[in-house]
Short mmCIF file of all heavy atoms in Angstrom, two decimals:
data_model
loop_
_atom_site.label_atom_id
_atom_site.label_comp_id
_atom_site.label_asym_id
_atom_site.label_seq_id
_atom_site.Cartn_x
_atom_site.Cartn_y
_atom_site.Cartn_z
N LEU A 178 24.01 -37.34 -73.06
CA LEU A 178 25.11 -36.34 -73.14
C LEU A 178 26.03 -36.53 -71.95
O LEU A 178 25.61 -36.35 -70.82
CB LEU A 178 24.52 -34.93 -73.14
CG LEU A 178 25.49 -33.77 -73.37
CD1 LEU A 178 25.94 -33.74 -74.82
CD2 LEU A 178 24.86 -32.45 -72.98
N THR A 179 27.26 -36.90 -72.20
CA THR A 179 28.21 -37.16 -71.11
C THR A 179 29.45 -36.27 -71.18
O THR A 179 30.35 -36.41 -70.36
CB THR A 179 28.65 -38.63 -71.11
OG1 THR A 179 29.26 -38.94 -72.38
CG2 THR A 179 27.47 -39.56 -70.91
N GLU A 180 29.50 -35.37 -72.16
CA GLU A 180 30.60 -34.43 -72.29
C GLU A 180 30.04 -33.02 -72.54
O GLU A 180 28.92 -32.86 -73.03
CB GLU A 180 31.51 -34.78 -73.47
CG GLU A 180 32.19 -36.11 -73.40
CD GLU A 180 33.01 -36.36 -74.66
OE1 GLU A 180 34.13 -35.80 -74.76
OE2 GLU A 180 32.53 -37.07 -75.55
N GLU A 181 30.83 -32.02 -72.20
CA GLU A 181 30.44 -30.66 -72.51
C GLU A 181 30.31 -30.49 -74.04
O GLU A 181 31.16 -30.98 -74.79
CB GLU A 181 31.47 -29.67 -71.98
CG GLU A 181 31.43 -29.48 -70.49
CD GLU A 181 30.18 -28.76 -70.01
OE1 GLU A 181 29.54 -28.06 -70.83
OE2 GLU A 181 29.83 -28.91 -68.82
N PRO A 182 29.26 -29.83 -74.49
CA PRO A 182 29.09 -29.65 -75.95
C PRO A 182 30.31 -29.06 -76.64
O PRO A 182 30.67 -29.51 -77.74
CB PRO A 182 27.87 -28.71 -76.02
CG PRO A 182 27.07 -29.05 -74.80
CD PRO A 182 28.09 -29.34 -73.74
N ILE A 183 30.97 -28.08 -76.01
CA ILE A 183 32.13 -27.48 -76.66
C ILE A 183 33.25 -28.49 -76.83
O ILE A 183 33.99 -28.47 -77.83
CB ILE A 183 32.62 -26.23 -75.87
CG1 ILE A 183 33.68 -25.49 -76.67
CG2 ILE A 183 33.11 -26.61 -74.50
CD1 ILE A 183 33.21 -24.91 -77.99
N ASP A 184 33.39 -29.42 -75.89
CA ASP A 184 34.42 -30.44 -76.01
C ASP A 184 34.10 -31.44 -77.12
O ASP A 184 35.01 -31.90 -77.83
CB ASP A 184 34.59 -31.17 -74.67
CG ASP A 184 35.15 -30.30 -73.57
OD1 ASP A 184 35.87 -29.32 -73.91
OD2 ASP A 184 34.87 -30.55 -72.38
N ILE A 185 32.82 -31.75 -77.28
CA ILE A 185 32.42 -32.64 -78.37
C ILE A 185 32.71 -31.98 -79.70
O ILE A 185 33.23 -32.61 -80.64
CB ILE A 185 30.92 -32.99 -78.25
CG1 ILE A 185 30.64 -33.73 -76.95
CG2 ILE A 185 30.46 -33.82 -79.44
CD1 ILE A 185 29.17 -33.95 -76.67
N ILE A 186 32.40 -30.70 -79.81
CA ILE A 186 32.63 -29.97 -81.05
C ILE A 186 34.13 -29.95 -81.38
O ILE A 186 34.55 -30.21 -82.52
CB ILE A 186 32.07 -28.54 -80.95
CG1 ILE A 186 30.54 -28.59 -80.85
CG2 ILE A 186 32.50 -27.70 -82.14
CD1 ILE A 186 29.90 -27.27 -80.49
N LYS A 187 34.94 -29.62 -80.37
CA LYS A 187 36.39 -29.54 -80.62
C LYS A 187 37.00 -30.88 -80.99
O LYS A 187 37.94 -30.96 -81.79
CB LYS A 187 37.09 -28.99 -79.37
CG LYS A 187 36.83 -27.51 -79.11
CD LYS A 187 37.54 -27.05 -77.84
CE LYS A 187 37.36 -25.55 -77.60
NZ LYS A 187 38.02 -25.10 -76.35
N SER A 188 36.43 -31.96 -80.42
CA SER A 188 36.98 -33.30 -80.69
C SER A 188 36.52 -33.87 -82.02
O SER A 188 37.13 -34.81 -82.54
CB SER A 188 36.56 -34.25 -79.58
OG SER A 188 35.17 -34.53 -79.66
N GLY A 189 35.44 -33.33 -82.57
CA GLY A 189 34.90 -33.87 -83.81
C GLY A 189 34.02 -35.09 -83.63
O GLY A 189 33.61 -35.71 -84.61
N ARG A 190 33.70 -35.42 -82.37
CA ARG A 190 32.90 -36.63 -82.12
C ARG A 190 31.41 -36.30 -82.14
O ARG A 190 30.71 -36.40 -81.14
CB ARG A 190 33.29 -37.23 -80.77
CG ARG A 190 34.70 -37.78 -80.71
CD ARG A 190 34.94 -38.56 -79.42
NE ARG A 190 34.73 -37.74 -78.23
CZ ARG A 190 35.69 -36.99 -77.66
NH1 ARG A 190 36.89 -36.96 -78.21
NH2 ARG A 190 35.42 -36.27 -76.59
N PHE A 191 30.93 -35.87 -83.30
CA PHE A 191 29.51 -35.58 -83.44
C PHE A 191 29.03 -36.18 -84.76
O PHE A 191 29.81 -36.77 -85.50
CB PHE A 191 29.26 -34.06 -83.40
CG PHE A 191 30.14 -33.25 -84.31
CD1 PHE A 191 29.86 -33.13 -85.67
CD2 PHE A 191 31.27 -32.62 -83.81
CE1 PHE A 191 30.68 -32.39 -86.50
CE2 PHE A 191 32.10 -31.87 -84.64
CZ PHE A 191 31.80 -31.76 -85.98
N ASN A 192 27.76 -36.04 -85.05
CA ASN A 192 27.21 -36.60 -86.26
C ASN A 192 27.60 -35.73 -87.45
O ASN A 192 27.18 -34.57 -87.54
CB ASN A 192 25.68 -36.67 -86.15
CG ASN A 192 25.24 -37.71 -85.15
OD1 ASN A 192 25.27 -38.91 -85.42
ND2 ASN A 192 24.79 -37.26 -83.97
N HIS A 193 28.38 -36.27 -88.33
CA HIS A 193 28.89 -35.50 -89.46
C HIS A 193 27.88 -35.53 -90.60
O HIS A 193 28.03 -36.27 -91.59
CB HIS A 193 30.26 -36.01 -89.88
CG HIS A 193 31.34 -35.67 -88.91
ND1 HIS A 193 32.13 -34.55 -89.01
CD2 HIS A 193 31.73 -36.28 -87.76
CE1 HIS A 193 32.98 -34.49 -88.00
NE2 HIS A 193 32.75 -35.54 -87.21
N VAL A 194 26.85 -34.71 -90.46
CA VAL A 194 25.84 -34.55 -91.50
C VAL A 194 25.71 -33.07 -91.78
O VAL A 194 26.12 -32.23 -90.96
CB VAL A 194 24.48 -35.15 -91.05
CG1 VAL A 194 24.61 -36.63 -90.75
CG2 VAL A 194 23.91 -34.39 -89.84
N PRO A 195 25.16 -32.68 -92.93
CA PRO A 195 25.01 -31.26 -93.26
C PRO A 195 24.21 -30.52 -92.19
O PRO A 195 23.17 -31.01 -91.72
CB PRO A 195 24.28 -31.27 -94.60
CG PRO A 195 24.65 -32.60 -95.21
CD PRO A 195 24.74 -33.54 -94.06
N LEU A 196 24.68 -29.32 -91.83
CA LEU A 196 24.05 -28.52 -90.77
C LEU A 196 23.90 -27.08 -91.24
O LEU A 196 24.85 -26.48 -91.74
CB LEU A 196 24.90 -28.57 -89.49
CG LEU A 196 24.49 -27.64 -88.35
CD1 LEU A 196 23.20 -28.13 -87.71
CD2 LEU A 196 25.60 -27.53 -87.32
N ILE A 197 22.69 -26.53 -91.09
CA ILE A 197 22.45 -25.10 -91.31
C ILE A 197 22.11 -24.49 -89.97
O ILE A 197 21.30 -25.03 -89.22
CB ILE A 197 21.28 -24.86 -92.28
CG1 ILE A 197 21.59 -25.44 -93.67
CG2 ILE A 197 20.96 -23.38 -92.41
CD1 ILE A 197 20.42 -25.37 -94.63
N THR A 198 22.73 -23.37 -89.63
CA THR A 198 22.42 -22.69 -88.37
C THR A 198 22.40 -21.20 -88.57
O THR A 198 23.10 -20.67 -89.44
CB THR A 198 23.45 -23.08 -87.28
OG1 THR A 198 23.07 -22.48 -86.05
CG2 THR A 198 24.84 -22.65 -87.65
N GLY A 199 21.58 -20.50 -87.79
CA GLY A 199 21.52 -19.05 -87.91
C GLY A 199 20.62 -18.43 -86.85
O GLY A 199 19.93 -19.14 -86.12
N TYR A 200 20.67 -17.12 -86.77
CA TYR A 200 19.82 -16.39 -85.82
C TYR A 200 19.46 -15.05 -86.45
O TYR A 200 20.03 -14.64 -87.46
CB TYR A 200 20.52 -16.20 -84.47
CG TYR A 200 21.78 -15.37 -84.52
CD1 TYR A 200 21.74 -14.01 -84.24
CD2 TYR A 200 23.02 -15.92 -84.85
CE1 TYR A 200 22.89 -13.23 -84.28
CE2 TYR A 200 24.17 -15.17 -84.89
CZ TYR A 200 24.09 -13.82 -84.60
OH TYR A 200 25.23 -13.06 -84.65
N THR A 201 18.49 -14.37 -85.85
CA THR A 201 18.05 -13.08 -86.38
C THR A 201 18.74 -11.92 -85.68
O THR A 201 19.37 -12.11 -84.62
CB THR A 201 16.53 -12.93 -86.25
OG1 THR A 201 16.17 -13.00 -84.87
CG2 THR A 201 15.80 -14.02 -87.00
N SER A 202 18.62 -10.74 -86.23
CA SER A 202 19.45 -9.62 -85.80
C SER A 202 19.05 -9.03 -84.45
O SER A 202 19.86 -8.37 -83.81
CB SER A 202 19.43 -8.52 -86.86
OG SER A 202 18.09 -8.04 -87.04
N ARG A 203 17.83 -9.22 -84.01
CA ARG A 203 17.38 -8.61 -82.75
C ARG A 203 16.68 -9.65 -81.87
O ARG A 203 15.64 -9.38 -81.28
CB ARG A 203 16.43 -7.43 -83.03
CG ARG A 203 17.15 -6.20 -83.59
CD ARG A 203 18.12 -5.60 -82.56
NE ARG A 203 18.71 -4.36 -83.03
CZ ARG A 203 19.83 -4.29 -83.71
NH1 ARG A 203 20.49 -5.40 -84.04
NH2 ARG A 203 20.33 -3.12 -84.07
N GLU A 204 17.27 -10.82 -81.77
CA GLU A 204 16.66 -11.85 -80.94
C GLU A 204 16.61 -11.47 -79.46
O GLU A 204 15.82 -12.02 -78.71
CB GLU A 204 17.41 -13.18 -81.11
CG GLU A 204 17.18 -13.77 -82.48
CD GLU A 204 17.67 -15.19 -82.60
OE1 GLU A 204 18.40 -15.65 -81.72
OE2 GLU A 204 17.31 -15.84 -83.58
N GLY A 205 17.45 -10.52 -79.07
CA GLY A 205 17.44 -10.09 -77.68
C GLY A 205 16.13 -9.48 -77.25
O GLY A 205 15.85 -9.38 -76.05
N MET A 206 15.29 -9.08 -78.22
CA MET A 206 13.95 -8.58 -77.88
C MET A 206 13.18 -9.60 -77.06
O MET A 206 12.39 -9.24 -76.18
CB MET A 206 13.18 -8.25 -79.15
CG MET A 206 13.72 -7.10 -79.96
SD MET A 206 12.87 -6.93 -81.56
CE MET A 206 11.25 -6.44 -80.99
N LEU A 207 13.39 -10.89 -77.38
CA LEU A 207 12.62 -11.94 -76.70
C LEU A 207 12.89 -11.95 -75.20
O LEU A 207 11.97 -12.17 -74.41
CB LEU A 207 12.98 -13.30 -77.30
CG LEU A 207 12.29 -14.51 -76.67
CD1 LEU A 207 10.78 -14.40 -76.83
CD2 LEU A 207 12.79 -15.80 -77.29
N PHE A 208 14.12 -11.69 -74.81
CA PHE A 208 14.46 -11.70 -73.39
C PHE A 208 13.69 -10.61 -72.64
O PHE A 208 13.23 -10.82 -71.52
CB PHE A 208 15.96 -11.51 -73.19
CG PHE A 208 16.76 -12.69 -73.69
CD1 PHE A 208 17.23 -12.75 -74.99
CD2 PHE A 208 17.05 -13.75 -72.85
CE1 PHE A 208 17.95 -13.82 -75.45
CE2 PHE A 208 17.78 -14.84 -73.29
CZ PHE A 208 18.23 -14.87 -74.60
N GLU A 209 13.54 -9.46 -73.27
CA GLU A 209 12.78 -8.38 -72.64
C GLU A 209 11.30 -8.69 -72.61
O GLU A 209 10.59 -8.36 -71.65
CB GLU A 209 13.04 -7.07 -73.37
CG GLU A 209 14.51 -6.63 -73.33
CD GLU A 209 15.05 -6.59 -71.90
OE1 GLU A 209 14.51 -5.81 -71.10
OE2 GLU A 209 16.00 -7.34 -71.60
N LEU A 210 10.79 -9.36 -73.66
CA LEU A 210 9.40 -9.75 -73.69
C LEU A 210 9.09 -10.76 -72.59
O LEU A 210 8.02 -10.73 -71.98
CB LEU A 210 9.03 -10.33 -75.05
CG LEU A 210 8.95 -9.32 -76.20
CD1 LEU A 210 8.75 -10.04 -77.52
CD2 LEU A 210 7.81 -8.33 -75.96
N ILE A 211 10.04 -11.67 -72.35
CA ILE A 211 9.86 -12.65 -71.26
C ILE A 211 9.73 -11.92 -69.93
O ILE A 211 8.87 -12.24 -69.10
CB ILE A 211 11.04 -13.64 -71.25
CG1 ILE A 211 10.95 -14.57 -72.46
CG2 ILE A 211 11.05 -14.45 -69.95
CD1 ILE A 211 12.16 -15.45 -72.64
N LYS A 212 10.56 -10.93 -69.72
CA LYS A 212 10.51 -10.19 -68.46
C LYS A 212 9.17 -9.44 -68.32
O LYS A 212 8.60 -9.39 -67.24
CB LYS A 212 11.69 -9.22 -68.36
CG LYS A 212 13.03 -9.91 -68.15
CD LYS A 212 14.14 -8.91 -68.00
CE LYS A 212 15.46 -9.62 -67.79
NZ LYS A 212 15.47 -10.38 -66.53
N LEU A 213 8.69 -8.89 -69.43
CA LEU A 213 7.40 -8.23 -69.37
C LEU A 213 6.29 -9.21 -69.03
O LEU A 213 5.39 -8.92 -68.26
CB LEU A 213 7.12 -7.54 -70.72
CG LEU A 213 7.94 -6.30 -71.04
CD1 LEU A 213 7.66 -5.83 -72.45
CD2 LEU A 213 7.62 -5.20 -70.04
N GLY A 214 6.38 -10.41 -69.65
CA GLY A 214 5.39 -11.45 -69.35
C GLY A 214 5.43 -11.90 -67.91
O GLY A 214 4.41 -12.30 -67.33
N GLN A 215 6.62 -11.86 -67.31
CA GLN A 215 6.79 -12.23 -65.92
C GLN A 215 6.57 -11.04 -64.98
O GLN A 215 6.76 -11.15 -63.78
CB GLN A 215 8.18 -12.81 -65.70
CG GLN A 215 8.42 -14.11 -66.45
CD GLN A 215 9.86 -14.58 -66.35
OE1 GLN A 215 10.76 -13.80 -66.02
NE2 GLN A 215 10.09 -15.83 -66.66
N LYS A 216 6.19 -9.89 -65.61
CA LYS A 216 5.95 -8.65 -64.84
C LYS A 216 7.18 -8.23 -64.03
O LYS A 216 7.10 -7.83 -62.90
CB LYS A 216 4.72 -8.80 -63.94
CG LYS A 216 3.44 -9.02 -64.72
CD LYS A 216 2.24 -9.15 -63.78
CE LYS A 216 0.94 -9.17 -64.55
NZ LYS A 216 0.84 -10.23 -65.56
N GLU A 217 8.35 -8.42 -64.68
CA GLU A 217 9.60 -8.01 -64.05
C GLU A 217 10.15 -6.81 -64.81
O GLU A 217 9.97 -6.65 -66.01
CB GLU A 217 10.63 -9.14 -64.11
CG GLU A 217 10.24 -10.36 -63.28
CD GLU A 217 11.30 -11.45 -63.38
OE1 GLU A 217 12.36 -11.18 -63.99
OE2 GLU A 217 11.07 -12.56 -62.89
N ALA A 218 10.88 -5.97 -64.09
CA ALA A 218 11.53 -4.83 -64.73
C ALA A 218 12.75 -5.30 -65.51
O ALA A 218 13.36 -6.31 -65.18
CB ALA A 218 11.96 -3.83 -63.66
N SER A 219 13.06 -4.59 -66.57
CA SER A 219 14.26 -4.92 -67.34
C SER A 219 15.49 -4.78 -66.44
O SER A 219 15.64 -3.80 -65.71
CB SER A 219 14.40 -3.99 -68.55
OG SER A 219 13.35 -4.21 -69.45
#
């Protein structure tokens, strides 16, 4: 990787193959769970 990802995306210089992407509605829960695992306060 020699360029910023956003610049690659804007330039179109990436692998042009079908892509599916998505996320879930409350993924932010994981960040709080990590803090609990690290015994840190939110």
Side-chain angles (χ1 to χ4, degrees):
L178 186 72
T179 59
E180 298 178 79
E181 286 291 338
I183 189 63
D184 293 334
I185 298 173
I186 293 169
K187 288 179 177 179
S188 71
R190 294 189 300 273
F191 49 81
N192 291 284
H193 288 266
V194 300
L196 172 71
I197 297 174
T198 184
Y200 63 96
T201 60
S202 61
R203 287 295 185 270
E204 290 191 347
M206 293 172 67
L207 179 61
F208 293 90
E209 298 307 299
L210 288 173
I211 289 172
K212 289 183 180 296
L213 288 174
Q215 295 173 342
K216 296 181 172 58
E217 294 180 7
S219 294

